[in-house]
Amino acid sequence: MEKKYYITIGLEIHAELKTNTKMFCGCKNDPDEIKPNTNICPVCMAHPGALPVPNKKAIENVIKVGLAIGAQIADFSEFDRKNYFYPDIPKGYQISQLKYPIVKGGHLADMDITRIHLEEDTANNKHDRGDFSLIDFNRAGVPLMELVTEPHTFETSEEAAKVASNFAKEYQLLLKYLDVSEANMEKGEMRVEANVSISPDKDKKWSQYVEVKNLNSFKSVERAIKYEVERMYKLFEEGKESEIVKETRGWDEAKQKTISQRKKESSEDYRYFPDPDLPKMKLHEAFDLEKMKRELPESPAQKRVRYKENFGIKDEDIESYINDTELAMWFEKIVSILKDKEKAKIASNYITTDYIGLKKSNTEAHFPSAENFAELIELLVENKISSRGAKDILAMIVLKDESPLKIATDKNILQKNDEGELRSIVKNIIDENSDVVAIYQGGKENALMSLVGKTIKATNGSANPQIVIKLLKELIK
Ligand code: ZN
Ligand code: MN
C-alpha cells in the first residue's frame, strides 16, 4: 500500500456455554447429539403458551468470564426480544440482551472489551438435501454468550490481523480454563465475526464497516481481515469508496475471499424490547461476586507469570504448557519431585523438544510417570548418563514406563566418570592412534574429537565426554 490507510477492527465472538440444560428450558444441552430433534420441548420449539425460565448456571458462567477480564458486572440486567423472521428461530425473535448486558468493559490480549451478553442459540438449518431444507432444533435455545470488543485502529492489515487472531486465541484459552465453554471453532462452539473498515484519515469517520462471518479458524480470521482490507483499499484507490457499504460478508475458505451475504440491519430494525416473560435480574444480590472472584481458576495470563517466575523457562516453552494443560500438570509434578529450579529448566528442555518430538513421530508414545522422568533428569544432572543416553532412555520410557536407572544399568550405558579407569583407556587410544595424535599436535584441533569418539566407542558409549577431553589434553603434551 503506497497511500496510508487506517484500519479499524472490532470483534464479536459467540460461544456456546457448557451447561447441563438449555438457556430457558430443561432440555439437555448436548453439542454431540447427532440424532436431530432429540433434545427439544415446547419452550425451545416455541409452542404457544410455553414460558421460558432462565438458566442460572449460564448467567454464572458469563459473570465468571467478566470477573476474569476485570470487567464490571452489572447490578441490573434483563433479557430482550430481538425480532426477526428466519426458520431457525421459530418464536420470531431471539431472546438476547441489548441495553443491560451482564458484563461491561474489561480487557484481554491487547483489546478492550465493550460488553458480554447472554442469548440463546438458533436451530440448525440443513440445506444439503436438494430442493428442500431440514431444521434440527437440538441447538435451539442453547446458552450463547456474545462478547463485543471496542473498535481498535491499526496502521497495517498484518498488525490488525495478528491482534485479532491473538485475541480470539486468548479468549478461547480463557473459556477453557474457566471451564465455561469447549469453544471448539471447528464444531461451531465458538464463532468469530470481524467488523472491518478503513479510512485515509485517522481521526475521521471510517468507511462503512463490513461484518465478516464464517471464520472458523484463527487462520481464517487473519486471512479474511487481510483480504477485506485489501478489497476496501482497492475501492478507495479507484475512487469507488461509495461501493463500500454496511453489509455482512461471508468468508469462503475454499475461494479464500469474502462474499456479500446481506445488507446489514441496524439495531432499530430488530425492534428490541424487554421480554415480559422473563424476570429482571439483580446480579449483585443473586450472586456472591466476591466469593466467585476468589474462587476463579488460574487464567492463562496468571499461569504465564507463575511459570516465568517459578521455573525461569523460555516464553515459547511456556506456551507449550499454556496450550496443553495435561502436559503442564505432568511438568509441574516432575518439578515437585526435582525441587530445584535448574533441574526444572533441564526437564523442561527435554519435554518441549525431545518428548514433544517423540510424541509427534510416534502415536504410541505417552507420558512416562513423573517419578521416572524426574529420575532420568537426576541421572543426567549427576553425570551418570550422557545427554545422548538420556535421549535414548527417554525414547524407551515413552513406550514402556520403566525406571531409567534400571534401563541404564541393564543396557550398560551408565556413564563412566571414574578418571582412573578412563585414564588407562585413553592411554590405549593414544597409543593406537599415533597418526591422529600427530595431526592434533600439528595444530588441527578437530582431530581431538576423533580421539574422543574412539574412546567413547571403546567404552560402549559410557565414557563421560568431558572427562575424556580433559584426559586427552592432559596426556597429549
Ligand atoms: Zn427445550
Ligand atoms: Mn448474537
Side-chain angles (χ1 to χ4, degrees), residues 22 25-27 39-41 43-44:
K22 290 187 181 180
C25 61
C27 289
N39 298 318
I40 53 171
C41 75
V43 174
C44 53

Side-chain angles (χ1 to χ4, degrees), residues 137-332:
F137 286 92
N138 282 343
R139 200 184 68 178
V142 162
L144 192 63
M145 174 173 66
E146 178 172 350
L147 169 141
V148 181
T149 73
E150 289 288 292
H152 286 69
T153 301
F154 304 93
E155 300 201 355
T156 65
S157 61
E158 283 75 22
E159 199 196 344
K162 199 158 186 358
V163 169
S165 78
N166 272 348
F167 179 88
K169 262 183 219 165
E170 192 66 14
Y171 186 53
Q172 184 193 54
L173 271 178
L174 181 67
L175 299 186
K176 288 184 183 169
Y177 274 52
L178 296 176
D179 198 29
V180 300
S181 173
E182 295 289 340
N184 183 325
M185 285 177 87
E186 278 150 47
K187 283 164 97 179
E189 292 165 338
M190 179 169 129
R191 315 196 273 270
V192 180
E193 293 154 35
N195 292 327
V196 184
S197 76
I198 71 171
S199 167
D201 185 338
K202 194 172 186 178
D203 304 312
K204 228 170 134 189
K205 198 190 170 299
W206 5 310
S207 67
Q208 296 275 21
Y209 75 83
V210 161
E211 185 177 311
V212 188
K213 288 191 182 239
N214 303 345
L215 305 172
N216 50 23
S217 71
F218 301 118
K219 264 269 161 308
S220 53
V221 171
E222 285 188 35
R223 287 180 184 150
I225 289 173
K226 285 185 194 161
Y227 176 88
E228 197 49 33
V229 169
E230 189 63 25
R231 188 186 69 86
M232 291 176 174
Y233 163 77
K234 276 188 190 140
L235 289 170
F236 257 104
E237 289 291 282
E238 292 164 6
K240 295 178 187 162
E241 189 189 331
S242 62
E243 283 179 30
I244 305 176
V245 292
K246 192 175 178 190
E247 63 179 337
T248 301
R249 298 179 71 88
W251 173 247
D252 187 323
E253 186 65 44
K255 294 185 180 138
Q256 295 280 303
K257 60 193 277 192
T258 63
I259 290 158
S260 180
Q261 288 181 330
R262 60 185 155 92
K263 304 297 171 232
K264 184 96 176 113
E265 298 85 356
S266 62
S267 70
E268 294 87 63
D269 298 332
Y270 290 115
R271 303 202 58 96
Y272 280 92
F273 67 89
D275 192 318
D277 288 342
L278 286 158
K280 310 291 174 195
M281 298 180 283
K282 296 285 247 174
L283 299 176
H284 291 224
E285 279 172 32
F287 293 91
D288 186 344
L289 299 179
E290 283 310 314
K291 181 165 179 276
M292 282 179 71
K293 209 170 178 172
R294 277 197 308 274
E295 291 174 358
L296 275 183
E298 184 180 45
S299 74
Q302 289 165 333
K303 188 165 171 173
R304 282 189 190 98
V305 172
R306 179 166 65 87
Y307 269 50
K308 207 168 178 73
E309 281 175 0
N310 291 2
F311 313 131
I313 53 181
K314 277 183 290 183
D315 286 351
E316 53 174 297
D317 290 353
I318 292 177
E319 286 316 299
S320 304
Y321 301 114
I322 294 292
N323 289 304
D324 186 341
T325 41
E326 212 190 338
L327 188 75
M329 275 159 58
W330 181 57
F331 171 63
E332 289 190 35

